[in-house]
Amino acid sequence: MTGILAMILFMASPIRADEPAVFLRGVNLNGPGVVIDGNRWDGEAEAPGLEVDGFTMDYPAIALNPGTDRARASMIHTSRWGDNVHVTFEDIPRGVYQIFLYVWEENNAVDFRVTLNGRTVVPRYDTRSAGHWEKLGPFREEIREDGGRLALESHGKDCNLSGVEIWKGAGPVPEPPDDDAPFDSVGDTPSTAASAEGVEFYERHVRPILIHRCHKCHAGDSEKIKGGLRVDSRGMMLKGGISGPAVVPGHPQESPLIAAVKYEDESLQMPPRAKLPDEEIATLVDWVKRGAPAPGEASPAKAIDLEKARAFWSFQPVKDPPPPSVQNASWARTDIDRFVLAGLESRGLKPAPPADPRTLLRRATFDLTGLPPSPEAVQTYLDDTSPDRFARAVERLLASPQYGERWGRHWLDVVRYADTAGCNSDYPVPSAYLYRNYVINSFNADKPYDGFLREQVAGDLLPHASDEQKYEHITATGYLAIARRFGSLADEFQLTIEDNIDNLGKSVLGLSVSCARCHDHKFDPIPTKDYYALYGIFDSSRYTFPGTEIPQEPKDFVPLFSEEFARKVVEPYEATRRELVQKVQYREQVRNKARESEKSGKPGEHDGKPLPPLADAERSLNEARKRLEEHDRNKPDYRLAYAVVEGKPHDARVQRKGDPRTPGEKVRRGFLQILGGQSLPKGFPTSGRLELAGWLTDPKNPLTARVMANRIWQYHFGQGIVPTPNDFGARGLPPTHPELLDHLASRFVGDGWSIKAMHRRIMLSNSYQMAVVDSPDAMAKDPRNESLWTFPRRRLSAEEFRDALLFTSGRLDPSMGGPHPFPPPPYRFTQHNPFYGVYETDRRSVYLMQQRIKKHPFLELFDGADPNSSTALRPRNTTPTQALFLMNDPFVHDQAGHLADRLFREAKTEPERIERLYRLAFGRSPTDEEGRMGREFLKDARSALSTDDEANRDAWSGLARVIYASNEFSFQD
């Protein structure tokens, strides 16, 4: 009996409504047949009676969340996508059917709805973040006559439909069998359900809590596993103990683990001796909300085969490939163009035409300075008819001090810069700004990238030609010092070192090295020993301590002045200050006791002396505070760096499961084995940071140049050649143009690691100078524009947008920012009363105070970087609150008012002012229609207001806000 005939006879048999539904068919909408849950699914090409349209998609490298079995993962990754995807099954016999639809997201969230035979069955579905997938349904449909049809249709932007599962019968659909080893991709690596981001969240934030708080009683190596519950793996938590599962992924309110740590039930309180800090409880709740992501269980552990691992593309030596031959050789101006054009021609695509001069200058100015071009700069450029005008414009922009502010901000994103410590109380770090300004000055000076890295890792150990160079090198180690601090105590320093290793791995090597802290890396060839080889280097260094709730006093800030200056000026000043601080603290104690005495009506004493009246105690305290404030106002001009210097050199021991209380074998300080694996000699007399810096910047290191060349490309084109710029490992995406990446990396080193030289190479290519175009044919062949058939339009970053507001209003202060107006120490912040501050300024946004635990409101609203972790790619959210901000926020109103004042100063007539407005905001003249609409807006605004001069200013201010809220102001072509 043929498969189709068997299916028809089976479908014709009666099925009772009280009996379970029976699997009828499944179809993989873009790929071969698969077996899922023991049921055979058709491939799209072999499915009888199927019609399906939509673009085809196959992205197996994206991790699925939640994880699933290998076959289902394979089907999900091969999808049909588009604004309207149609899936129709013809010749369906009569009967009741239940239909399930698999959907997933490979990129950014979109909304769509789903109809079945014209009836809406999903009114609005949010696809959420990359990797998320769901099985929608069941959708019930009754076919009353033989020869019916089932037609599923999506309605919305870029929705991905993976597969359709059809069951016959009105009864319950059987649950799929449990899978003990779920997968998140089609590879051979077990996972438990998580995107790379989710796994990292677990490793960095959740696992340390479980180890420190729970493993003593609930781990495989516990003397007695209490309650039969283990929390040392996700699978064990889902299995649970004698009381059932401990975690219900996605539902913290239903998870006994969360109820236990919250102390919601007197009979179930964990840990039993003391409730967890609020911050740790919030972390666990967040983790369960995310679906309890975690890496897969080691199945059994096996040694990492380094020789085999070195065959992976990113561990191969950087080559210098010859540029490929191309058909349209006349288009290729540079070698970059030949690599790009070869990729286009291989897909049957053509590059976009060149951008018009005005658009190109605006693009380059935003790219290199983060500011719009002035009307005068635009006009000068348009009047220049020389063939090298764009090259000269690029040189002018590279020489601008605004260049370092723009590109320094990119680096500060990657190294998670912040002006506060990040501990529970988030202590201010007044001198952190010195590192920020060092970064900006280094980009402006075009400091070679290898030297830039060496200074940040080991600046205090480098030779110097002058005291100023010595101080600059020390300041550079602020990169290590700004690592996040944790908790309320000073004894959780291992997490700060973990933050350093994590950031160094991602920012410089493009590897998630810190995943090897508790166990050998699950995906990349990094054993735990390698982690602790690096750990020993940083543990042999002395970090500046910013203070925290316990203890409060900062220490070990590094002086940026001579010993003579310290002896004559600094030490006397500091000694006097310590005395004044002690007096303030003493009189605070007296005041507090006097207050208690007055409230109780009983006399009291302090240090054996009778307490003074409360009014006298308050007066004495205020006098002491005034003397301290006056002393601080007369502080000598000297700087203390938030930096790292040499400590006591030693090798570190492995911390079993990442717990410093369970030390293992000692590991010689050294570097990653996959990249050479050199170790420092036994008893090496220094920390090894200088040697680490040399290893990172060795031209033979295959990752350092590739990673930075990729970042520079990414910041020009919106997406890197490697789309995962912080992950060049197995979990990252492969390069779209591998030979181009190696070409750029080899030229980067050959040009002396010059970042400005890389800008010139990229920006002088035709690839960079293309226009933004729409092409349905190109979109169908390359929907992500990976081959670069058009220049990608992008939204301005939060800093660019804010700076453009200040620039056009004429209020932008171009001077370099200095220290922030933090309150004077000593600090008394706690985890329940942490520091929080917002210090407004008219300087560029790179100089805004960057706080770890709470972002600046503007930067948070417009997707600024997360100061808690390396930000390789900023999110791009479009929300109603952004529009409301542009309509209502006082900052926008102020800039619009100042822009109106500027128009009055710089133009005399209404048409001239509208012309000036458009040239300031967009770098162009208004069209006739825009000019007419502007005049009508002003007329209507004046009629709604009075006719005096202030009302006239209000009308122009309103028009300015309309311009500020336009897409053209916030997007760059």
Side-chain angles (χ1 to χ4, degrees):
M1 185 182 294
T2 66
I4 296 177
L5 178 57
M7 186 191 322
I8 292 173
L9 292 176
F10 173 74
M11 293 173 68
S13 62
I15 297 180
R16 294 170 51 187
D18 58 346
E19 293 181 345
V22 179
F23 178 80
L24 182 64
R25 65 188 303 191
V27 177
N28 183 4
L29 295 178
N30 176 36
V34 290
V35 176
I36 295 177
D37 301 336
N39 299 313
R40 170 67 187 176
W41 284 43
D42 294 329
E44 167 257 335
E46 62 193 19
L50 170 70
E51 292 183 6
V52 58
D53 64 5
F55 302 119
T56 58
M57 170 190 296
D58 185 0
Y59 281 89
I62 297 175
L64 296 183
N65 183 19
T68 186
D69 56 276
R70 184 185 288 108
R72 190 178 269 104
S74 173
M75 178 272 298
I76 292 170
H77 279 114
T78 57
S79 297
R80 295 284 187 149
W81 71 274
D83 291 350
N84 296 96
V85 181
H86 306 261
V87 182
T88 304
F89 297 90
E90 303 286 354
D91 298 322
I92 304 296
R94 71 170 70 101
V96 175
Y97 299 91
Q98 298 182 62
I99 299 96
F100 294 85
L101 176 64
Y102 285 81
V103 299
W104 82 299
E105 179 55 61
E106 94 293 350
N107 192 357
N108 297 314
V110 297
D111 294 337
F112 62 86
R113 67 185 178 93
V114 178
T115 59
L116 173 60
N117 287 353
R119 169 173 55 90
T120 296
V121 291
V122 180
R124 179 181 177 273
Y125 177 74
D126 179 0
T127 64
R128 287 180 268 181
S129 58
H132 179 79
W133 70 274
E134 281 190 53
K135 179 181 177 181
L136 304 181
F139 314 134
R140 188 176 182 277
E141 185 71 3
E142 183 175 3
I143 302 297
R144 298 184 181 275
E145 295 182 5
D146 291 341
R149 66 197 297 267
L150 295 173
L152 283 163
E153 185 175 1
S154 67
H155 305 266
K157 185 178 181 182
D158 292 357
C159 51
N160 305 334
L161 309 187
S162 303
V164 179
E165 186 174 333
I166 304 175
W167 295 72
K168 187 171 185 186
V173 175
E175 291 291 326
D178 291 334
D179 192 330
D180 293 331
F183 285 70
D184 64 7
S185 72
V186 298
D188 292 325
T189 306
S191 173
T192 55
S195 64
E197 178 185 5
V199 170
E200 181 181 356
F201 181 84
Y202 174 83
E203 293 290 357
R204 298 199 63 195
H205 303 295
V206 179
R207 189 191 288 273
I209 297 174
L210 298 177
I211 289 172
H212 293 164
R213 310 294 191 184
C214 310
H215 276 204
K216 185 177 180 181
C217 302
H218 298 285
D221 56 0
S222 302
E223 290 184 9
K224 181 179 179 181
I225 300 174
K226 295 186 177 181
L229 172 64
R230 286 176 54 182
V231 298
D232 49 349
S233 78
R234 182 182 190 268
M236 290 297 178
M237 283 186 274
L238 296 181
K239 180 181 179 182
I242 59 177
S243 300
V247 168
V248 180
H251 301 281
Q253 70 280 4
E254 300 175 18
S255 298
L257 173 70
I258 301 302
V261 298
K262 284 186 173 182
Y263 278 35
E264 292 177 345
D265 184 344
E266 291 185 2
S267 65
L268 182 65
Q269 296 181 343
M270 293 292 164
R273 293 185 179 180
K275 187 179 180 181
L276 295 181
D278 292 344
E279 182 184 54
E280 293 186 6
I281 294 174
T283 296
L284 293 174
V285 170
D286 187 14
W287 175 63
V288 177
K289 279 184 179 178
R290 293 168 179 245
E297 313 306 327
S299 19
K302 55 183 179 180
I304 295 173
D305 187 338
L306 292 173
E307 288 305 315
K308 182 178 178 181
R310 289 190 179 100
F312 190 71
W313 74 266
S314 65
F315 301 132
Q316 291 286 302
V318 175
K319 301 184 176 77
D320 186 9
S325 300
V326 292
Q327 299 172 19
N328 186 12
S330 61
W331 181 84
R333 177 185 299 174
T334 68
D335 287 344
I336 287 176
D337 292 332
R338 293 178 180 86
F339 286 105
V340 171
L341 186 58
L344 288 169
E345 291 178 345
S346 69
R347 296 194 184 197
L349 296 170
K350 295 180 180 179
D356 66 85
R358 195 187 307 272
T359 297
L360 184 59
L361 180 67
R362 183 177 176 84
R363 177 188 302 170
T365 307
F366 267 117
D367 273 8
L368 292 182
T369 69
L371 293 170
S374 68
E376 293 72 26
V378 173
Q379 195 58 51
T380 298
Y381 182 75
L382 295 178
D383 292 341
D384 186 351
T385 59
S386 60
D388 64 342
R389 65 174 178 179
F390 184 66
R392 288 189 289 109
V394 168
E395 292 302 321
R396 173 179 58 82
L397 295 169
L398 290 173
S400 164
Q402 284 76 44
Y403 163 78
E405 293 167 334
R406 168 62 170 159
W407 280 79
R409 181 63 257 175
H410 288 320
W411 184 251
L412 296 175
D413 277 16
V414 174
V415 300
R416 43 79 177 106
Y417 172 80
D419 291 293
T420 59
C423 56
N424 287 351
S425 43
D426 209 22
Y427 262 45
V429 184
S431 61
Y433 82 95
L434 293 172
Y435 171 72
R436 176 201 67 199
N437 288 3
Y438 158 82
V439 169
I440 293 170
N441 289 331
S442 295
F443 273 91
N444 275 330
D446 196 22
K447 185 171 290 182
Y449 181 63
D450 59 339
F452 183 56
L453 289 179
R454 283 195 296 270
E455 290 175 2
Q456 292 176 85
V457 174
D460 57 307
L461 301 173
L462 293 174
H464 49 271
S466 65
D467 284 346
E468 281 306 309
Q469 189 180 54
K470 172 185 175 182
Y471 302 151
E472 179 188 22
H473 289 172
I474 291 172
T475 300
T477 66
Y479 161 63
L480 300 177
I482 61 171
R484 187 179 177 187
R485 309 304 165 105
F486 295 83
S488 300
L489 307 174
D491 63 354
E492 297 184 49
F493 194 66
Q494 78 279 0
L495 297 179
T496 297
I497 293 180
E498 187 268 349
D499 190 65
N500 265 148
I501 294 173
D502 176 73
N503 191 269
L504 186 75
K506 290 176 179 174
S507 63
V508 180
L509 300 174
L511 293 175
S512 52
V513 179
S514 67
C515 288
R517 173 183 162 217
C518 304
H519 47 70
D520 288 353
H521 201 297
K522 299 290 187 183
F523 310 108
D524 293 328
I526 306 173
T528 300
K529 287 184 178 180
D530 282 11
Y531 175 89
Y532 288 97
L534 293 171
Y535 186 99
I537 293 173
F538 293 110
D539 202 36
S540 298
S541 304
R542 179 164 58 86
Y543 288 63
T544 300
F545 179 63
T548 186
E549 185 174 351
I550 306 171
Q552 296 173 331
E553 288 301 316
K555 63 178 181 179
D556 295 332
F557 279 75
V558 183
L560 302 179
F561 44 78
S562 67
E563 294 182 3
E564 181 181 5
F565 184 83
R567 186 175 62 255
K568 291 183 177 180
V569 178
V570 178
E571 291 175 3
Y573 170 82
E574 291 293 343
T576 301
R577 191 178 191 282
R578 283 193 295 271
E579 293 176 3
L580 294 174
V581 168
Q582 290 172 357
K583 288 182 179 179
V584 168
Q585 293 172 340
Y586 179 83
R587 294 181 184 184
E588 281 179 343
Q589 296 170 358
V590 173
R591 186 275 314 274
N592 293 341
K593 288 191 174 181
R595 182 181 291 162
E596 294 173 2
S597 176
E598 183 175 281
K599 186 176 180 180
S600 65
K602 299 178 181 179
E605 60 179 34
H606 184 70
D607 280 352
K609 300 177 183 178
L611 291 171
L614 178 59
D616 291 347
E618 293 277 11
R619 186 180 309 108
S620 178
L621 174 59
N622 289 335
E623 289 174 356
R625 285 173 171 169
K626 286 181 181 178
R627 285 195 291 273
L628 177 59
E629 291 172 1
E630 182 178 358
H631 187 72
D632 285 341
R633 283 195 296 271
N634 295 317
K635 178 182 177 181
D637 184 17
Y638 67 87
R639 295 172 297 170
L640 296 170
Y642 193 49
V644 168
V645 295
E646 285 291 86
K648 183 179 179 180
H650 67 280
D651 295 331
R653 292 187 179 276
V654 170
Q655 298 171 7
R656 295 193 183 98
K657 297 183 179 179
D659 187 349
R661 296 170 300 183
T662 57
E665 64 177 302
K666 185 176 287 188
V667 179
R668 187 79 57 82
R669 281 167 286 158
F671 319 125
L672 301 185
Q673 297 175 59
I674 189 63
L675 299 175
Q678 301 91 331
S679 295
L680 303 180
K682 185 177 181 179
F684 197 71
T686 65
S687 66
R689 281 186 293 114
L690 184 61
E691 289 68 30
L692 172 62
W695 172 76
L696 290 169
T697 56
D698 187 332
K700 295 179 181 177
N701 187 316
L703 287 171
T704 303
R706 276 188 178 123
V707 169
M708 190 56 180
N710 187 67
R711 291 195 197 281
I712 299 170
W713 182 273
Q714 168 201 333
Y715 291 131
H716 280 302
F717 289 97
Q719 177 173 293
I721 297 170
V722 177
T724 50
N726 269 11
D727 194 349
F728 278 44
R731 297 274 285 185
L733 295 176
T736 57
H737 298 73
E739 291 187 332
L740 173 58
L741 179 62
D742 271 18
H743 170 77
L744 294 174
S746 61
R747 292 298 182 272
F748 187 35
V749 175
D751 287 336
W753 301 83
S754 167
I755 294 174
K756 288 188 177 181
M758 185 61 69
H759 291 310
R760 295 183 186 99
R761 286 188 179 277
I762 292 173
M763 299 178 71
L764 297 182
S765 69
N766 278 336
S767 302
Y768 178 82
Q769 297 179 35
M770 285 191 291
V772 175
V773 298
D774 293 322
S775 170
D777 178 63
M779 178 66 74
K781 294 178 180 178
D782 181 12
R784 285 182 180 75
N785 191 30
E786 291 175 343
S787 59
L788 206 64
W789 50 267
T790 179
F791 192 85
R793 178 182 288 112
R794 70 172 180 88
R795 194 181 75 182
L796 301 183
S797 68
E799 290 86 353
E800 287 176 296
F801 188 58
R802 180 180 176 274
D803 293 350
L805 292 172
L806 287 165
F807 180 85
T808 54
S809 72
R811 300 291 296 177
L812 183 65
D813 178 353
S815 63
M816 176 171 266
H820 299 294
F822 290 122
Y827 299 132
R828 297 287 186 270
F829 302 111
T830 69
Q831 66 171 317
H832 301 295
N833 182 33
F835 167 75
Y836 176 62
V838 176
Y839 306 128
E840 296 300 344
T841 177
D842 285 341
R843 288 191 175 96
R844 294 199 63 178
S845 301
V846 69
Y847 300 120
L848 290 171
M849 195 271 288
Q850 304 276 328
Q851 188 167 353
R852 285 208 194 274
I853 67 172
K854 195 167 184 179
K855 287 184 185 178
H856 186 283
F858 187 97
L859 302 182
E860 182 174 30
L861 182 59
F862 290 97
D863 303 322
D866 180 0
N868 286 294
S869 59
S870 177
T871 302
L873 292 166
R874 291 197 182 185
R876 288 174 290 182
N877 295 307
T878 302
T879 65
T881 50
Q882 293 168 345
L884 292 171
F885 178 91
L886 294 173
M887 290 190 288
N888 302 317
D889 192 83
F891 174 75
V892 178
H893 279 251
D894 286 347
Q895 304 318 310
H898 290 308
L899 177 52
D901 294 338
R902 181 177 184 177
L903 297 176
F904 292 154
R905 292 194 306 270
E906 297 179 359
K908 296 180 180 179
T909 66
E910 185 175 272
E912 289 174 342
R913 288 171 183 159
I914 292 176
E915 171 80 14
R916 185 65 175 168
L917 173 62
Y918 272 75
R919 285 186 174 273
L920 285 168
F922 304 142
R924 64 173 178 84
S925 299
T927 64
D928 292 343
E929 178 66 9
E930 288 169 335
R932 181 189 63 77
M933 292 173 64
R935 291 189 295 273
E936 288 184 358
F937 178 93
L938 293 168
K939 180 180 178 182
D940 292 343
R942 292 188 187 110
S943 66
L945 302 164
S946 57
T947 56
D948 57 25
D949 289 341
E950 187 63 28
N952 188 43
R953 181 183 187 271
D954 288 344
W956 280 97
S957 177
L959 181 59
R961 291 200 304 278
V962 171
I963 294 295
Y964 284 158
S966 66
N967 277 350
E968 189 173 354
F969 188 82
S970 59
F971 281 80
Q972 174 223 292
D973 281 352

